[in-house]
Amino acid sequence: MIFFYKEWIKTRYFFIIAFIVTLCFCVYCMLNIARVIELKGAVHIWEVMLQRDAIFIQQLRFIPLIVGILAGVVQYFPEMQQKRIKLTLHLPCSYYKSIGGMLLFGAVVLLLIFLSNFLILGIYLSQHFAGELVRHILLTAVTWYIAGILGYLLSAWICIEPTWRRRIVNILLSAAVLRIFFISEVPEAYNRMLPVLAVYTFVASVLPFYSVARFKTGKQD
């Protein structure tokens, strides 16, 4: 708990701002839906969703990814830039526990922020749409939010990497992996791939440990 508290003190302002920003984007999407309903009626918006496959929350598409990447930078870049990572690795516990605790903290806080977005959107959408349409919209958004968690883990991997040559390689690999999440704009296009994307995310949680191991063996610029 003390370790988590330290991470919260270090990153609390960012995560509070991230929560507010994501909430504002959710509210913006809801206001857009409300405006269309007011101007043309709920029947029209249902027809647009069914005929044009619109979901009316496209503005959220890249927000979780941006928040996830920035969370990794805010949490880990100062650790490397100010050499605080050395102190972390010399704590009276294994570096697996130290770095694992940091990753767990960031991932859990991001997950709570993202779940709050889903809760707010779900409550609002269920007031205006049938359950099937609400499911259609939220399942489409699941892919974006998984990308946000993966972006956080890959950002941590990049920041912790001790050499710039390998860091550039990591950036290119991360960009290629994250690109997979945004190839198709068709709603629910990734439904069958969600388990695979979840596996990508789980595997990515191991990568920062590899960079830490390289740091401990003296791989530095």
Side-chain angles (χ1 to χ4, degrees), residues 59-115:
Q59 295 86 349
L60 283 171
R61 190 179 185 209
F62 295 104
I63 300 303
L65 176 61
I66 293 171
V67 169
I69 291 173
L70 290 178
V73 172
V74 168
Q75 191 176 359
Y76 298 99
F77 185 74
E79 293 283 333
M80 298 300 293
Q81 191 71 16
Q82 301 172 19
K83 307 299 183 182
R84 295 204 301 256
I85 191 71
K86 292 183 178 180
L87 178 61
T88 301
L89 296 179
H90 283 86
L91 292 173
C93 62
S94 70
Y95 71 87
Y96 291 107
K97 290 184 178 180
S98 301
I99 300 302
M102 294 173 69
L103 291 169
L104 181 62
F105 170 83
V108 167
V109 175
L110 279 177
L111 188 59
L112 290 175
I113 292 173
F114 294 163
L115 287 176

Side-chain angles (χ1 to χ4, degrees), residues 118-129:
F118 261 75
L119 179 62
I120 292 167
L121 286 171
I123 292 174
Y124 177 80
L125 293 172
S126 62
Q127 296 174 358
H128 300 283
F129 302 109

Side-chain angles (χ1 to χ4, degrees), residues 61-210:
R61 190 179 185 209
F62 295 104
I63 300 303
L65 176 61
I66 293 171
V67 169
I69 291 173
L70 290 178
V73 172
V74 168
Q75 191 176 359
Y76 298 99
F77 185 74
E79 293 283 333
M80 298 300 293
Q81 191 71 16
Q82 301 172 19
K83 307 299 183 182
R84 295 204 301 256
I85 191 71
K86 292 183 178 180
L87 178 61
T88 301
L89 296 179
H90 283 86
L91 292 173
C93 62
S94 70
Y95 71 87
Y96 291 107
K97 290 184 178 180
S98 301
I99 300 302
M102 294 173 69
L103 291 169
L104 181 62
F105 170 83
V108 167
V109 175
L110 279 177
L111 188 59
L112 290 175
I113 292 173
F114 294 163
L115 287 176
S116 70
N117 289 182
F118 261 75
L119 179 62
I120 292 167
L121 286 171
I123 292 174
Y124 177 80
L125 293 172
S126 62
Q127 296 174 358
H128 300 283
F129 302 109
E132 292 80 2
L133 295 179
V134 175
R135 175 183 173 276
H136 179 61
I137 295 172
L138 295 182
L139 269 178
T140 301
V142 166
T143 304
W144 308 339
Y145 285 97
I146 293 177
I149 299 295
L150 179 57
Y152 165 73
L153 296 170
L154 294 175
S155 179
W157 176 44
I158 293 166
C159 289
I160 296 174
E161 169 55 43
T163 66
W164 270 105
R165 184 174 65 178
R166 183 63 65 87
R167 193 175 292 172
I168 291 172
V169 173
N170 292 356
I171 290 172
L172 295 175
L173 289 174
S174 298
V177 171
L178 291 170
R179 177 73 180 101
I180 296 172
F181 287 74
F182 301 97
I183 292 174
S184 176
E185 296 184 12
V186 177
E188 291 197 74
Y190 289 89
N191 279 6
R192 293 184 178 180
M193 286 188 63
L194 287 178
V196 177
L197 299 181
V199 170
Y200 279 166
T201 304
F202 177 77
V203 171
S205 66
V206 179
L207 297 175
F209 294 99
Y210 174 68

Side-chain angles (χ1 to χ4, degrees), residues 47-59:
E47 289 177 351
V48 171
M49 288 187 67
L50 293 172
Q51 295 175 6
R52 302 181 187 175
D53 219 4
I55 57 173
F56 295 100
I57 62 167
Q58 292 90 340
Q59 295 86 349

Side-chain angles (χ1 to χ4, degrees), residues 27-37 45 56 59:
V27 172
Y28 178 75
C29 292
M30 292 187 291
L31 289 175
N32 275 344
I33 295 172
R35 180 176 59 84
V36 175
I37 291 176
I45 202 170
F56 295 100
Q59 295 86 349

